[in-house]
PDB file of all heavy atoms in Angstrom:
ATOM      1  N   ASN A 313      85.763  92.309  64.762  1.00  0.00           N
ATOM      2  CA  ASN A 313      85.456  93.727  64.847  1.00  0.00           C
ATOM      3  C   ASN A 313      83.980  94.023  64.750  1.00  0.00           C
ATOM      4  O   ASN A 313      83.416  94.831  65.458  1.00  0.00           O
ATOM      5  CB  ASN A 313      86.229  94.483  63.759  1.00  0.00           C
ATOM      6  CG  ASN A 313      87.729  94.545  64.015  1.00  0.00           C
ATOM      7  OD1 ASN A 313      88.180  94.212  65.118  1.00  0.00           O
ATOM      8  ND2 ASN A 313      88.473  94.952  63.053  1.00  0.00           N
ATOM      9  N   LEU A 314      83.285  93.356  63.793  1.00  0.00           N
ATOM     10  CA  LEU A 314      81.884  93.600  63.615  1.00  0.00           C
ATOM     11  C   LEU A 314      81.094  93.132  64.824  1.00  0.00           C
ATOM     12  O   LEU A 314      80.131  93.819  65.280  1.00  0.00           O
ATOM     13  CB  LEU A 314      81.390  92.902  62.338  1.00  0.00           C
ATOM     14  CG  LEU A 314      81.983  93.406  61.003  1.00  0.00           C
ATOM     15  CD1 LEU A 314      81.515  92.549  59.856  1.00  0.00           C
ATOM     16  CD2 LEU A 314      81.605  94.847  60.778  1.00  0.00           C
ATOM     17  N   ILE A 315      81.413  91.931  65.353  1.00  0.00           N
ATOM     18  CA  ILE A 315      80.670  91.464  66.536  1.00  0.00           C
ATOM     19  C   ILE A 315      80.980  92.294  67.740  1.00  0.00           C
ATOM     20  O   ILE A 315      80.094  92.588  68.555  1.00  0.00           O
ATOM     21  CB  ILE A 315      81.006  89.959  66.740  1.00  0.00           C
ATOM     22  CG1 ILE A 315      80.552  89.109  65.571  1.00  0.00           C
ATOM     23  CG2 ILE A 315      80.368  89.445  68.050  1.00  0.00           C
ATOM     24  CD1 ILE A 315      80.938  87.672  65.668  1.00  0.00           C
ATOM     25  N   ASP A 316      82.217  92.747  67.866  1.00  0.00           N
ATOM     26  CA  ASP A 316      82.608  93.607  69.010  1.00  0.00           C
ATOM     27  C   ASP A 316      81.793  94.919  68.951  1.00  0.00           C
ATOM     28  O   ASP A 316      81.336  95.434  70.008  1.00  0.00           O
ATOM     29  CB  ASP A 316      84.076  93.882  68.964  1.00  0.00           C
ATOM     30  CG  ASP A 316      84.547  94.696  70.188  1.00  0.00           C
ATOM     31  OD1 ASP A 316      84.413  94.167  71.295  1.00  0.00           O
ATOM     32  OD2 ASP A 316      85.073  95.804  69.986  1.00  0.00           O
ATOM     33  N   ASN A 317      81.616  95.513  67.786  1.00  0.00           N
ATOM     34  CA  ASN A 317      80.774  96.733  67.655  1.00  0.00           C
ATOM     35  C   ASN A 317      79.330  96.446  68.077  1.00  0.00           C
ATOM     36  O   ASN A 317      78.697  97.249  68.778  1.00  0.00           O
ATOM     37  CB  ASN A 317      80.813  97.232  66.209  1.00  0.00           C
ATOM     38  CG  ASN A 317      82.061  97.985  65.884  1.00  0.00           C
ATOM     39  OD1 ASN A 317      82.752  98.436  66.811  1.00  0.00           O
ATOM     40  ND2 ASN A 317      82.357  98.154  64.633  1.00  0.00           N
ATOM     41  N   ALA A 318      78.846  95.239  67.640  1.00  0.00           N
ATOM     42  CA  ALA A 318      77.460  94.935  68.025  1.00  0.00           C
ATOM     43  C   ALA A 318      77.294  94.693  69.517  1.00  0.00           C
ATOM     44  O   ALA A 318      76.293  95.066  70.116  1.00  0.00           O
ATOM     45  CB  ALA A 318      77.008  93.659  67.257  1.00  0.00           C
ATOM     46  N   VAL A 319      78.321  94.113  70.170  1.00  0.00           N
ATOM     47  CA  VAL A 319      78.292  93.915  71.596  1.00  0.00           C
ATOM     48  C   VAL A 319      78.325  95.238  72.391  1.00  0.00           C
ATOM     49  O   VAL A 319      77.650  95.450  73.341  1.00  0.00           O
ATOM     50  CB  VAL A 319      79.423  92.991  72.044  1.00  0.00           C
ATOM     51  CG1 VAL A 319      79.526  92.889  73.557  1.00  0.00           C
ATOM     52  CG2 VAL A 319      79.161  91.559  71.481  1.00  0.00           C
ATOM     53  N   LYS A 320      79.220  96.130  71.877  1.00  0.00           N
ATOM     54  CA  LYS A 320      79.389  97.399  72.604  1.00  0.00           C
ATOM     55  C   LYS A 320      78.230  98.329  72.423  1.00  0.00           C
ATOM     56  O   LYS A 320      77.797  99.014  73.393  1.00  0.00           O
ATOM     57  CB  LYS A 320      80.657  98.112  72.046  1.00  0.00           C
ATOM     58  CG  LYS A 320      81.972  97.439  72.500  1.00  0.00           C
ATOM     59  CD  LYS A 320      83.156  98.221  71.934  1.00  0.00           C
ATOM     60  CE  LYS A 320      84.440  97.617  72.376  1.00  0.00           C
ATOM     61  NZ  LYS A 320      85.626  98.320  71.798  1.00  0.00           N
ATOM     62  N   HIS A 321      77.697  98.407  71.242  1.00  0.00           N
ATOM     63  CA  HIS A 321      76.660  99.438  70.931  1.00  0.00           C
ATOM     64  C   HIS A 321      75.254  98.890  70.855  1.00  0.00           C
ATOM     65  O   HIS A 321      74.314  99.659  70.687  1.00  0.00           O
ATOM     66  CB  HIS A 321      76.997 100.170  69.601  1.00  0.00           C
ATOM     67  CG  HIS A 321      78.372 100.741  69.607  1.00  0.00           C
ATOM     68  ND1 HIS A 321      78.671 101.882  70.309  1.00  0.00           N
ATOM     69  CD2 HIS A 321      79.495 100.361  68.937  1.00  0.00           C
ATOM     70  CE1 HIS A 321      79.976 102.170  70.097  1.00  0.00           C
ATOM     71  NE2 HIS A 321      80.477 101.280  69.289  1.00  0.00           N
ATOM     72  N   GLY A 322      75.067  97.562  70.928  1.00  0.00           N
ATOM     73  CA  GLY A 322      73.748  96.991  70.842  1.00  0.00           C
ATOM     74  C   GLY A 322      73.460  96.050  71.976  1.00  0.00           C
ATOM     75  O   GLY A 322      74.212  95.923  72.932  1.00  0.00           O
ATOM     76  N   GLU A 323      72.400  95.349  71.846  1.00  0.00           N
ATOM     77  CA  GLU A 323      71.987  94.385  72.868  1.00  0.00           C
ATOM     78  C   GLU A 323      71.676  93.048  72.195  1.00  0.00           C
ATOM     79  O   GLU A 323      71.017  92.968  71.169  1.00  0.00           O
ATOM     80  CB  GLU A 323      70.740  94.852  73.593  1.00  0.00           C
ATOM     81  CG  GLU A 323      70.927  96.151  74.366  1.00  0.00           C
ATOM     82  CD  GLU A 323      69.629  96.608  75.036  1.00  0.00           C
ATOM     83  OE1 GLU A 323      68.595  95.898  74.849  1.00  0.00           O
ATOM     84  OE2 GLU A 323      69.621  97.632  75.707  1.00  0.00           O
ATOM     85  N   ASN A 324      72.188  91.994  72.814  1.00  0.00           N
ATOM     86  CA  ASN A 324      71.927  90.643  72.318  1.00  0.00           C
ATOM     87  C   ASN A 324      72.170  90.496  70.826  1.00  0.00           C
ATOM     88  O   ASN A 324      71.196  90.203  70.054  1.00  0.00           O
ATOM     89  CB  ASN A 324      70.443  90.256  72.634  1.00  0.00           C
ATOM     90  CG  ASN A 324      70.130  90.387  74.117  1.00  0.00           C
ATOM     91  OD1 ASN A 324      70.993  90.201  74.986  1.00  0.00           O
ATOM     92  ND2 ASN A 324      68.914  90.746  74.436  1.00  0.00           N
ATOM     93  N   PRO A 325      73.360  90.677  70.364  1.00  0.00           N
ATOM     94  CA  PRO A 325      73.631  90.547  68.913  1.00  0.00           C
ATOM     95  C   PRO A 325      73.365  89.121  68.435  1.00  0.00           C
ATOM     96  O   PRO A 325      73.640  88.134  69.135  1.00  0.00           O
ATOM     97  CB  PRO A 325      75.096  90.915  68.811  1.00  0.00           C
ATOM     98  CG  PRO A 325      75.688  90.670  70.117  1.00  0.00           C
ATOM     99  CD  PRO A 325      74.597  90.989  71.149  1.00  0.00           C
ATOM    100  N   GLU A 326      72.840  89.060  67.232  1.00  0.00           N
ATOM    101  CA  GLU A 326      72.539  87.744  66.597  1.00  0.00           C
ATOM    102  C   GLU A 326      73.365  87.678  65.313  1.00  0.00           C
ATOM    103  O   GLU A 326      73.411  88.572  64.523  1.00  0.00           O
ATOM    104  CB  GLU A 326      71.047  87.646  66.265  1.00  0.00           C
ATOM    105  CG  GLU A 326      70.190  87.701  67.467  1.00  0.00           C
ATOM    106  CD  GLU A 326      68.704  87.688  67.125  1.00  0.00           C
ATOM    107  OE1 GLU A 326      68.436  87.506  65.917  1.00  0.00           O
ATOM    108  OE2 GLU A 326      67.849  87.807  67.998  1.00  0.00           O
TER     109      GLU A 326
END
Side-chain angles (χ1 to χ4, degrees):
N313 288 348
L314 295 175
I315 297 174
D316 185 61
N317 281 342
V319 171
K320 288 180 179 178
H321 303 288
E323 298 177 358
N324 305 328
E326 299 177 3

